[in-house]
Amino acid sequence: MDYLKKITATRPVSRSVQSPLSLLEETESNRGRIIQSAALRRLQQKTQVYPLETNAAVRSRLTHSLEVQQTGRYLAQTILSQLQNSPQSDTFHLKDLETPFINLVEMACLLHDVGNPPFGHFGEASISQWLSVHAAGCHQQALKNQPGHSSLFTHTLLPDLCTFEGNAQGLRIVSSLHNLNLTYSQIAAFIKYTRPPSKEAPGVDDPFYYRQKKPGFFYSEQALITSTWKALAVDEGCRFPLVYIMEAADDIAYCIADLEDAVDKGILSLQALQDRLTCVWQELNTTEDDYLIRIISHANTASDGGFIRRLRTRLVKELVNYAADRYLSQHQAVFDGILDEPLINGGSRQHLALKTLKTVAIRHVFNNLEKETPELRGHAALVGLLTIYRPLLLLSRADFEAIAYQDVGACFIEQRLFHRLPKKYKAAYCSAVTLLSETSLCDSEKNDLEWYYRARLVIDYISGMTDHFVVNEYQRLSAM
C-alpha cells in the first residue's frame, strides 16, 4: 500500500511552469482555489435542514461543511497517528505526506455538499421529477426536423438528465463549470459513488451495492472520471481511500447537528430530546448494551446545562476513534477502494448510535411544518423556473446556437432568457458543443449531445441558485 500512488500533484490540466510544485504546495493550492470559489460561498444561503432560515445561528450548508471539515481533520490526524505507529509504516510512504493527506481530507469535506441544489434533497427530487416528465418531450420537439433520438440519448443521456444528484453536480461544478483544475487526488477524495445515472443501481447482494447505490458523476464528466481513475490506479467502480474518511466525518457531524438545531428552534426541548433518544435506542437495540444511554447520562451531568455540547464532544470522540480503528482494520480494502460499507458500519454499536440520532431526526424533526412549508414554496419556485426556461429546450439547434454564438434570431423570449444565464455556464456549454465537431460521431449523436449540454446549462443555472434567490427569481419572472 503505497500512498505515493494515491496522493499526487498531477492535475487534469498541467501547469505551464517548468518544475512542478511539491505535494504540500499543490494541496495548499487546492485549498486556495476551493475556499475562494463562488460555489462554496453560495452554500451560506443553501438549506441544511431548515429552508429560508433567518436565524444565522441555525446551520446552513456552509456552516455544516465547516463542521465536517473539522471532524475530517480530527479523524485524518487520528488515522495518521495509528498508521505511523504500524510495523508496516515504512511501506506506506506517508513520511512527509501527513499535511497533504490532511489537506485533501479537509477540502473534500468542505466540498462534499457543493453540488446540492436549493432546498437540499427536496430540491433534488423536484428537479428530477420535472425532468422525468418534460425532458423527453422537449428533446423530441427540439429535434423534430433533425436527425436525433440515437441510442446514446435513449440509454445514456436521458437517464442522466432525469436523475439530479448533488454529488454528481458537485464534480461538475468544480471541474466543468468553475474550472478549479484541482489535483486528481483532490477530485477523487470527494467522489462518494462510482456509477453514472445511466447504469442501473445494483441489488443489495451485489458487491458494489453501497458504493453504487446513487449516481456519482454525470455523462458530461465521464472523461474526467476515466482520467482520474487512471492517474490514481483506481479500478472501475472502486473508491479513492480518503473518501471513506470524508464520508465518516459527514455522518458524525450532521446527525448531532440536526438535533441541536431542532432544540435551538424550539422544535424539541432538551428533555424531549433525551427521552426520544433513549426510547429509539431501546427500540433499535436488540441486546442489553446501554452504550448510548451511558453517553446521554454522562452528558446530562453538566452543571452548566451544556447537554448538547457534552453529548457532541463525547460522541465525536467515540465515533472518530471507532472510524479510525476501522480504517486500520480494513486498510487493504479501504486502500483498494473495495470496502462496500462506511467506516462506521452496520454491525457496530457506534453505527446504531448514529442510526438512533437519524431516526429521532426523521420522526420528530424532518416532518415538522416549520421545515415542510418552505420546502413546498421551494418546490413551486423550482418547478416554476424550470417551466419558465423550458422554451430554451424547445428550440432547434440552429435557433439556439444563433442566440448562443451570435446573439441574433427571431426568438425574442428565448434570447432574453439566455441573457440571464451566467457567463461561466454558457462558456461550459459552448466549449462542450465545440468539441463535438472534432469527434467522429454521427449527426444524430451530435444533435442529441448538443441538446444534452443545453439541458445541462439550464439545470446548472437553476440548481446553482441559493434558496432565497430561487424564490425571488421566480417571483420576478412570473410577475407574482
Side-chain angles (χ1 to χ4, degrees), residues 259 262-263 266-285 292-293 296 307 311 352-368:
L259 295 177
V263 172
I267 293 171
L268 289 174
S269 67
L270 280 176
Q271 187 59 55
L273 174 60
Q274 294 174 44
D275 292 344
R276 284 167 172 76
L277 287 172
T278 300
C279 180
V280 172
W281 171 263
Q282 292 171 341
E283 173 190 333
L284 299 178
N285 185 22
L292 185 59
I293 305 300
I296 293 170
F307 171 78
L311 178 70
L352 191 61
L354 282 182
K355 186 176 181 181
T356 298
L357 269 63
K358 291 178 185 178
T359 302
V360 171
I362 290 168
R363 291 180 183 177
H364 304 289
V365 177
F366 295 164
N367 61 358
N368 186 275

Side-chain angles (χ1 to χ4, degrees), residues 2-3 101 103 108 134 204 207 214 244 249 342 360 362 383 394 396 411 420 463 468:
D2 183 356
Y3 277 88
F101 185 106
N103 282 347
H134 296 283
V204 292
K214 293 182 180 180
Y244 293 96
V360 171
I362 290 168
V383 168
L394 299 175
S396 68
C411 308
R420 302 183 74 83
S463 69
H468 285 90

Side-chain angles (χ1 to χ4, degrees), residues 224-265:
L224 175 62
I225 287 290
T226 301
S227 63
T228 300
W229 289 168
K230 182 179 179 180
L232 302 176
V234 175
D235 291 335
E236 184 179 355
C238 297
R239 278 177 158 187
F240 186 70
L242 304 193
V243 171
Y244 293 96
I245 304 176
M246 176 271 287
E247 179 182 54
D250 184 27
D251 286 343
I252 293 169
Y254 85 79
C255 287
I256 303 168
D258 291 350
L259 295 177
E260 182 177 10
D261 282 348
V263 172
D264 287 345
K265 288 180 67 63

Side-chain angles (χ1 to χ4, degrees), residues 1 26 34 101 108 122 156 178 196 236 255 303 315 332 354 361 367 374 443 469:
M1 288 179 280
E26 294 289 9
I34 291 165
F101 185 106
F122 192 83
T156 302
H178 288 262
E236 184 179 355
C255 287
S303 58
L315 269 176
Q332 188 67 62
L354 282 182
N367 61 358
D443 287 345
F469 187 81

Side-chain angles (χ1 to χ4, degrees), residues 51-195:
L52 306 175
E53 179 59 52
T54 57
N55 182 354
V58 174
R59 289 166 177 84
S60 66
R61 284 285 168 188
L62 180 59
T63 50
H64 162 69
S65 297
L66 290 169
E67 292 178 344
V68 177
Q69 177 190 358
Q70 173 55 31
T71 303
R73 178 183 176 84
Y74 177 25
L75 177 52
Q77 290 173 327
T78 304
I79 289 170
L80 283 171
S81 176
Q82 295 188 30
L83 284 174
Q84 289 162 345
N85 293 326
S86 168
Q88 298 85 32
S89 60
D90 290 343
T91 66
F92 302 148
H93 295 135
L94 279 168
K95 182 177 172 54
D96 299 325
L97 284 185
E98 294 91 342
T99 302
F101 185 106
I102 293 169
N103 282 347
L104 291 171
V105 169
E106 279 196 82
M107 291 303 99
C109 291
L110 199 56
L111 279 177
H112 81 284
D113 272 349
V114 77
N116 272 35
F119 301 93
H121 296 304
F122 192 83
E124 285 181 324
S126 296
I127 294 170
S128 297
Q129 183 186 64
W130 190 92
L131 289 162
S132 295
V133 173
H134 296 283
C138 290
H139 171 264
Q140 185 175 10
Q141 172 68 20
L143 273 68
K144 63 181 180 181
N145 296 318
Q146 305 168 68
H149 298 86
S150 63
S151 60
L152 173 66
F153 181 81
T154 304
H155 300 300
T156 302
L157 303 182
L158 185 59
D160 193 276
L161 290 171
C162 292
T163 307
F164 184 87
E165 225 304 316
N167 291 285
Q169 186 67 15
L171 176 62
R172 179 163 172 77
I173 285 171
V174 302
S175 56
S176 302
L177 301 182
H178 288 262
N179 296 310
L180 298 187
N181 194 27
L182 304 174
T183 61
Y184 281 124
S185 298
Q186 188 66 77
I187 292 168
F190 82 108
I191 300 175
K192 285 178 66 173
Y193 304 110
T194 61
R195 71 171 175 89

